[in-house]
Amino acid sequence: MENQSPATAAPSQIISTVHGPIGHIELNRDAKLNALNLDMLNELSRVLRAWAQDSSISLVLLTGRGQRAFCAGGDIADFHAAITTGRHQDFANLLATEFDLDYLISTYPKPLISLAHGITMGGGIGLASHAPVRLVTANAAMGMPEAKIGYTPDVGGSHLLASAPGHFGEYYAMSAQSFTGADAVLLGFADVVVTEGFAENILDELDEFVGLNAGEIAAAIEVMHGAPESFALEMDQGWIDHAFGAVTPQEVFDRLQHMVHPSAQRAAQQLAANSPTSVASAFYNVRAAREEQDLRSALDRELRLARYLMYRPDLAEGIRAQVIDKDRNPTWSPASLEEVDHAALRSLAEGTED
């Protein structure tokens, strides 16, 4: 029997229901690709904390309604409004709330299953890829696209990217390129690629997993409902590691420009199109995260960088160009990697700023 959870305060955006021992949370903002706002973050935190203490709930499922997206990220139109009207602290407070939610998900005391499908970017990665059991459909479009809008990988994305094989982390952070759900297991953003049939009927399939721990659930789902993952990215690791293993962001760009591999040339074009400050920030962000290998530290670092970047001109300009006016023609300031304040970004990434 389905009971509407008493914790649901905004049913139009977050729907939480209880099915026996299973709690189900659905993002329900399909018209906005389930993009997150403060009300949604607060409600997600409230429900998850309540269910963590509820002995009648053994397992939690997190999904997104609609065919197009699990979650496209934060509502960056709201971010643009905040930073262009002097409400930078509101933006910072929202990020702190979101990062705390992501950490709660990563340390959840019960098996919490996330199912990523469709567009799963930015803040959607924070919800999906830190869960104890991370499921994904093969055709999901995933990534950390922040360098396109003058920002930096956040929601623990730098930690995930830093843990990817070789230097895939720097590549995806600096280029803002996306990858498929089929690639997500190789990159460390998911545990199991599942069939479309299982994804569509997942709630009906979960009863048999109640009572198992997270590792047992992931293993059982892979055996019973797993779909092939992709290893195609391994073919690109050679040139990616060579270019993105360089010691500075500028050297990464220089190596790409001198490589004849077509994919390297495309990556050079992607870096050149992105915010130079963001490209450099992404580099230092991932490198520092790899040194520590700690999600909480990564989230704290990302918030430091966010507090810096929200006052820089590129974030408002990038959102304007990509989301508001959609002319896809941002004017970055500074316009080149050489002009970026690398010392400031390094100190923020390393936590040595004054």
Side-chain angles (χ1 to χ4, degrees):
M1 180 177 178
E2 179 175 310
N3 300 311
Q4 190 71 22
S5 168
T8 302
S12 64
Q13 296 183 336
I14 298 294
I15 297 175
S16 55
T17 51
V18 174
H19 309 260
I22 300 171
H24 184 197
I25 302 175
E26 299 172 274
L27 309 179
N28 186 38
R29 203 183 180 205
D30 183 32
K32 296 290 186 179
L33 301 177
N34 292 327
L36 299 167
N37 57 35
L38 184 58
D39 287 342
M40 295 171 73
L41 295 170
N42 284 333
E43 182 63 8
L44 283 165
S45 298
R46 196 161 84 99
V47 173
L48 285 172
R49 292 183 190 280
W51 286 354
Q53 302 298 319
D54 188 339
S55 60
S56 69
I57 294 177
S58 301
L59 184 154
V60 176
L61 172 66
L62 175 60
T63 62
R65 283 197 171 185
Q67 296 297 313
R68 299 183 297 164
F70 167 72
C71 174
D75 191 327
I76 57 177
D78 286 353
F79 298 168
H80 185 269
I83 62 176
T84 55
T85 58
R87 294 183 290 111
H88 297 78
Q89 190 58 48
D90 290 345
F91 182 24
N93 291 343
L94 181 147
L95 291 176
T97 298
E98 183 175 16
F99 295 2
D100 286 346
L101 171 62
D102 297 328
Y103 191 70
L104 170 65
I105 288 172
S106 76
T107 58
Y108 206 64
K110 298 178 180 181
L112 192 167
I113 302 173
S114 63
L115 174 60
H117 79 282
I119 299 171
T120 303
M121 301 279 179
I125 294 288
L127 298 182
S129 294
H130 297 306
V133 182
R134 307 170 302 168
L135 309 181
V136 65
T137 60
N139 63 359
M142 307 178 76
M144 303 300 298
E146 291 80 7
K148 291 182 179 180
I149 61 166
Y151 190 46
T152 193
D154 66 354
V155 299
S158 64
H159 171 73
L160 293 163
L161 290 165
S163 301
H167 291 281
F168 279 118
E170 287 93 336
Y171 166 62
Y172 282 108
M174 298 171 76
S175 69
Q177 182 70 292
S178 61
F179 53 89
T180 70
D183 298 319
V185 176
L186 173 66
L187 294 171
F189 281 70
D191 299 311
V192 183
V193 183
V194 297
T195 65
E196 292 290 339
F198 177 74
E200 291 173 3
N201 300 288
I202 185 169
L203 194 58
D204 297 329
E205 303 280 356
L206 290 184
D207 283 342
E208 59 190 306
F209 303 116
V210 172
L212 302 180
N213 64 37
E216 292 168 338
I217 291 172
I221 290 176
E222 182 172 19
V223 170
M224 299 169 64
H225 305 287
E229 59 185 90
S230 172
F231 296 94
L233 288 178
E234 292 181 341
M235 300 294 292
D236 288 324
Q237 189 168 352
W239 71 263
I240 286 175
D241 283 357
H242 172 71
F244 289 87
V247 297
T248 68
Q250 184 64 57
E251 187 179 349
V252 169
F253 187 60
D254 291 343
R255 288 187 183 184
L256 288 171
Q257 288 187 306
H258 288 91
M259 293 172 72
V260 297
H261 196 294
S263 295
Q265 289 295 308
R266 285 194 294 273
Q269 294 169 2
Q270 289 163 345
L271 263 63
N274 293 339
S275 159
T277 299
S278 291
V279 167
S281 175
F283 178 89
Y284 298 122
N285 198 357
V286 171
R287 287 289 168 94
R290 187 176 292 120
E291 286 292 318
E292 290 187 344
Q293 288 294 317
D294 180 76
L295 175 58
R296 184 69 259 181
S297 294
L299 291 164
D300 293 343
R301 176 183 306 106
E302 292 164 355
L303 189 57
R304 291 196 300 270
L305 287 164
R307 289 181 182 276
Y308 174 81
L309 294 170
M310 70 176 66
Y311 287 98
R312 307 294 300 175
D314 280 3
L315 181 53
E317 172 62 5
I319 297 174
R320 179 208 64 77
Q322 296 292 340
V323 178
I324 307 299
D325 297 337
K326 299 183 180 179
D327 58 36
R328 308 291 193 267
N329 188 32
T331 300
W332 302 125
S333 178
S336 68
L337 274 171
E338 293 93 337
E339 300 171 277
V340 168
D341 189 344
H342 292 271
L345 293 172
R346 279 196 304 269
S347 65
L348 287 162
E350 295 166 3
T352 58
E353 74 282 6
D354 295 330

